[in-house]
Amino acid sequence: LCNDLACSSPTILVLDSTGNVGTFTSIAIDGQDRVRVAYRDETNSVVKLVFCSNAACDSTLVEVVDGAANGGFTSLALDSLGRAHISYFDASSGNVKLAMCDAALSCSNPTLVNVTSSGAGQTSLALDSIGRARIAFYDATTGDLKVALCNAAACAVRLLVPLDTFGDVGDFNSIDLTSTGLVRVSYYGASQGDLKLASCNTLSCSDVTVTILDSAGDVGLYTSLQLDAGGRASISYFDRVNQDLKFFNEAAATGGTTITTLDSNGDVGQFASLALDFTRNEEVRVAYFGESSGLKFVSCNDALCENTAVAAVDSVGLVGTHVSIALTPVTGLARVAYFDRSNSDLKLAFCLNPGCSLSDVRTLVSSLDVVGQFTSIATHSNGVSQISFYDATVNNLKLVVCGNANCSPATVRTVDLGSDDVGQYSSLVLTSSGEARIAYFDATNTNLKLAMCQDSNCLTSNIVVLDDAGDVGEWASIALDSAGLVLVSYYDRSNGALKLVQCLDQACSSVSHQLLAGGGPGMPNVGQFTSLKLDSSDRVRVAYYDVTNTDLALVACDDALCTSKTQLTLDNAGDVGQFCSLDLSSAGLAHVAYYDATARDLKLYIGFPPTNPITTTSTTTTSTTTTTTSTTSTSTTTTTTTT
């Protein structure tokens, strides 16, 4: 019994110690705070119920509810008179059964009802406003999730309705009802290892919506569901891969979209770059530029970013534009690449704590050239980073390959040789083996290009033209799908459109192009400042700036092939959405940092992208041309400043 909200000093009581007892527990509390617990007695293979005499549980009464059933998977609910109702699985008959106690403080003469006739499994019980039982259960014969709807409190007649029949689904179910009596059930999808939610849209469950809430690994076991007053789900569940207890909150994920101002001290928020710290509960980290304050860093200390800390990382000279952030995989500490405008250098900040209030600031590339614009940093699972950038003096795409986690030594490679002006709007990702994939803009030919390093040191690279149809390729953003194939979102200046290119093989010898937004007669000019991420099912999400309407917007593809999509305006309060940066939580919750040009603030959007398709994408497949180049390299020395 918890004695405070944090349960810091609970009272532990033994309720029953006769034999091997206490599996499949289910608890309920009556209107006088008296506890009731249903459970299985393993020694005698019976269903039992314990009654606490008062809120402190000074004395107890234990009764056998069904002595004939080999009962398990119990679920307990109390009616308006405080009488216990218990659903459970009778292993002797293979039935789901319902026991209805005849009194509030005892269960000496319960009514027992066979709810199903065969092949059942785990159960979960809720009562509607007039005491009718709704029992979710796993049908072990068919591998389906079903619900039994009793027509009256006595449950003499029942309607059995399948809720989800896709694969082996329905284990570890938990049921609750909305204020209008609609059924919602959380459960485990064993075939895919997902946390799922079935939502009945009618009282008879004739129309059901099934949603995958979490598909990252093998998740969704041992679910426990509770609905708030608005019918939104809160679910605790088990992540078997990571051996973690997890929590999903629908109010934050769907109905609870939040827009937060992270920093309003001066003109701040341009060149924002966001990452989620998966080592610390997916907390937000954002590096960004302050017009009079240089490179800044904000860290959130909770899921909704209600508690933040802002740190000044580097304010020596005109520094902090062209920012890119990456977090180390083990410690979650940030590495921030950025441009020193005063000295025309590429710099790298090593955050020494999660909030980056302590950091090592290093000049990574210093020369007579103007280097360090259009930076993009990625960190491999071994903690070693690479950074792509544009050399504005020689108009080349270059890459820093760090020799170790401290980036000392560091080697600079010229990735795309030649006389063309290439390398602006670079976006970098690393393969599982550490080879760089860099999307970038060819300003001479107004093309979108891709550099594919052939080894982790990028001694050679293949250069692929991804799109040459018009003036295309600015604001490129790259990602790899689960098969390691490249996807790039980018701006089509010729048509004022947001586009997506997907490589169809590892060499990117053929690609598909898709129009995600804009591009038609009378359509708005959209697609600048693109930021691309894929969810755990390889579905595309792209945040971008709507130039015509000066809005922050997002495209969410409904499947991995993006055969349909949803376009959504995230924020339209003023001129908002430039310098947007997107990351996704393990449950697919979108986090977007961006610049509010009207208020000159850094803002954050948190919300769950909708999955209902409203438009169809246009797709074309083309072959690409590839050239192989040897990269040139120079070694660098770094200077370090501790702040």
Side-chain angles (χ1 to χ4, degrees):
L1 301 174
C2 294
N3 298 305
D4 55 65
L5 291 177
C7 211
S8 58
S9 56
T11 301
I12 309 296
L13 302 174
V14 176
L15 299 181
D16 187 358
S17 59
T18 305
N20 182 8
V21 294
T23 56
F24 304 112
T25 67
S26 182
I27 190 171
I29 301 174
D30 71 9
Q32 299 180 48
D33 289 341
R34 295 175 298 192
V35 168
R36 309 286 184 261
V37 182
Y39 57 100
R40 172 178 165 83
D41 180 332
E42 294 286 352
T43 301
N44 298 295
S45 301
V46 297
V47 176
K48 300 175 80 173
L49 181 65
V50 61
F51 297 80
C52 287
S53 60
N54 55 24
C57 210
D58 293 322
S59 62
T60 60
L61 170 67
V62 176
E63 295 206 70
V64 175
V65 175
D66 189 348
N70 184 8
F73 302 114
T74 64
S75 182
L76 169 65
L78 305 181
D79 65 17
S80 59
L81 300 177
R83 296 174 300 190
H85 292 59
I86 307 168
S87 66
Y88 54 99
F89 172 59
D90 182 348
S92 300
S93 63
N95 295 344
V96 171
K97 299 181 76 173
L98 177 65
M100 295 172 283
C101 295
D102 55 326
L105 297 178
S106 67
C107 198
S108 58
N109 188 30
T111 301
L112 304 180
V113 176
N114 283 318
V115 177
T116 67
S117 58
S118 64
Q122 299 177 22
T123 77
S124 183
L125 169 68
L127 302 179
D128 70 5
S129 59
I130 56 176
R132 297 178 300 184
R134 273 74 180 105
I135 306 171
F137 64 95
Y138 173 62
D139 187 326
T141 302
T142 61
D144 297 336
L145 173 68
K146 294 183 176 181
V147 66
L149 305 174
C150 296
N151 72 322
C155 204
V157 178
R158 300 157 300 281
L159 176 67
L160 303 183
V161 183
L163 298 182
D164 189 355
T165 60
F166 184 76
D168 186 2
V169 293
D171 272 342
F172 306 107
N173 55 72
S174 181
I175 193 171
D176 201 359
L177 307 180
T178 69
S179 59
T180 58
L182 297 176
V183 167
R184 303 194 80 183
V185 184
S186 63
Y187 58 102
Y188 175 57
S191 296
Q192 304 296 325
D194 297 337
L195 170 68
K196 304 183 79 173
L197 180 70
S199 302
C200 293
N201 301 312
T202 61
L203 292 175
S204 64
C205 285
S206 58
D207 180 27
V208 182
T209 300
V210 173
T211 307
I212 297 174
L213 301 181
D214 190 355
S215 59
D218 189 0
V219 294
L221 295 82
Y222 307 105
T223 75
S224 182
L225 166 69
Q226 185 169 7
L227 303 182
D228 66 12
R232 296 170 298 191
S234 292
I235 307 169
S236 63
Y237 58 102
F238 180 58
D239 179 336
R240 179 150 53 189
V241 173
N242 297 298
Q243 299 289 295
D244 290 337
L245 173 66
K246 298 182 75 174
F247 179 73
F248 173 84
N249 181 262
E250 191 178 13
T254 55
T257 294
T258 62
I259 295 176
T260 305
T261 299
L262 296 180
D263 191 354
S264 59
N265 187 10
D267 187 351
V268 292
Q270 297 181 63
F271 299 98
S273 184
L274 177 145
L276 296 181
D277 185 352
F278 288 90
T279 71
R280 294 178 179 84
N281 301 315
E282 303 181 352
E283 294 174 352
V284 169
R285 309 286 185 251
V286 186
Y288 57 101
F289 173 63
E291 190 66 46
S292 60
S293 48
L295 178 66
K296 302 185 75 175
F297 190 95
V298 62
S299 57
C300 298
N301 300 314
D302 58 87
L304 295 179
C305 230
E306 295 174 337
N307 298 294
T308 61
V310 176
V313 179
D314 188 358
S315 58
V316 180
L318 297 174
V319 294
T321 58
H322 298 275
V323 177
S324 181
I325 190 174
L327 305 186
T328 56
V330 176
T331 65
L333 298 180
R335 304 289 182 258
V336 184
Y338 60 102
F339 180 53
D340 180 339
R341 192 163 55 187
S342 294
N343 299 295
S344 301
D345 293 337
L346 172 65
K347 299 182 80 171
L348 180 63
F350 290 74
C351 295
L352 303 179
N353 55 20
C356 210
S357 58
L358 292 176
S359 61
D360 282 344
V361 174
R362 306 180 185 181
T363 300
L364 199 59
V365 181
S366 180
S367 69
L368 297 177
D369 292 350
V370 179
V371 294
Q373 296 175 322
F374 301 104
T375 66
S376 182
I377 187 172
T379 300
H380 192 256
S381 59
N382 61 11
V384 178
S385 300
Q386 298 188 39
I387 306 166
S388 63
F389 65 95
Y390 176 61
D391 185 329
T393 301
V394 296
N395 302 325
N396 281 157
L397 171 68
K398 293 189 174 183
L399 178 71
V400 174
V401 180
C402 294
N404 52 36
N406 293 322
C407 208
S408 179
T411 303
V412 179
R413 309 252 184 228
T414 301
V415 178
D416 190 347
L417 300 171
S419 59
D420 290 343
D421 184 355
V422 294
Q424 297 179 53
Y425 301 101
S426 78
S427 182
L428 166 68
V429 69
L430 301 179
T431 68
S432 59
S433 302
E435 295 98 357
R437 301 289 184 260
I438 311 169
Y440 58 100
F441 180 57
D442 179 340
T444 300
N445 300 293
T446 62
N447 294 339
L448 174 67
K449 299 179 77 174
L450 173 69
M452 307 179 70
C453 294
Q454 299 304 293
D455 57 84
S456 59
N457 290 312
C458 205
L459 296 175
T460 60
S461 61
N462 291 341
I463 307 299
V464 180
V465 177
L466 294 179
D467 193 351
D468 59 2
D471 188 350
V472 294
E474 295 172 287
W475 286 287
S477 183
I478 194 170
L480 299 179
D481 67 12
S482 57
L485 299 179
V486 168
L487 296 91
V488 183
S489 62
Y490 57 101
Y491 178 56
D492 179 344
R493 185 174 291 276
S494 296
N495 297 294
L498 172 66
K499 295 181 71 176
L500 177 75
V501 59
Q502 296 175 288
C503 292
L504 303 179
D505 53 57
Q506 295 292 339
C508 216
S509 59
S510 62
V511 299
S512 67
H513 298 100
Q514 301 189 43
L515 178 66
L516 295 184
M523 299 291 287
N525 180 8
V526 299
Q528 295 183 10
F529 301 100
T530 79
S531 184
L532 166 68
K533 291 291 180 183
L534 305 183
D535 72 3
S536 58
S537 300
D538 284 340
R539 294 178 298 188
V540 166
R541 277 81 174 100
V542 184
Y544 62 96
Y545 179 57
D546 181 333
V547 182
T548 300
N549 298 300
T550 64
D551 295 338
L552 172 68
L554 182 133
V555 167
C557 292
D558 191 54
D559 53 42
L561 298 177
C562 207
T563 55
S564 59
K565 65 183 182 296
T566 298
Q567 298 169 1
L568 184 68
T569 298
L570 304 184
D571 189 357
N572 59 3
D575 186 354
V576 293
Q578 297 179 62
F579 303 102
C580 59
S581 180
L582 167 69
D583 204 356
L584 302 176
S585 72
S586 58
L589 192 65
H591 296 67
V592 187
Y594 58 101
Y595 179 57
D596 182 336
T598 301
R600 300 177 184 266
D601 294 339
L602 173 68
K603 297 179 75 174
L604 175 70
Y605 168 92
I606 301 176
F608 197 83
T611 57
N612 53 306
I614 59 170
T615 60
T616 302
T617 59
S618 173
T619 304
T620 59
T621 301
T622 62
S623 298
T624 63
T625 57
T626 303
T627 58
T628 301
T629 66
S630 297
T631 60
T632 62
S633 65
T634 58
S635 297
T636 69
T637 57
T638 63
T639 59
T640 303
T641 304
T642 300
T643 60

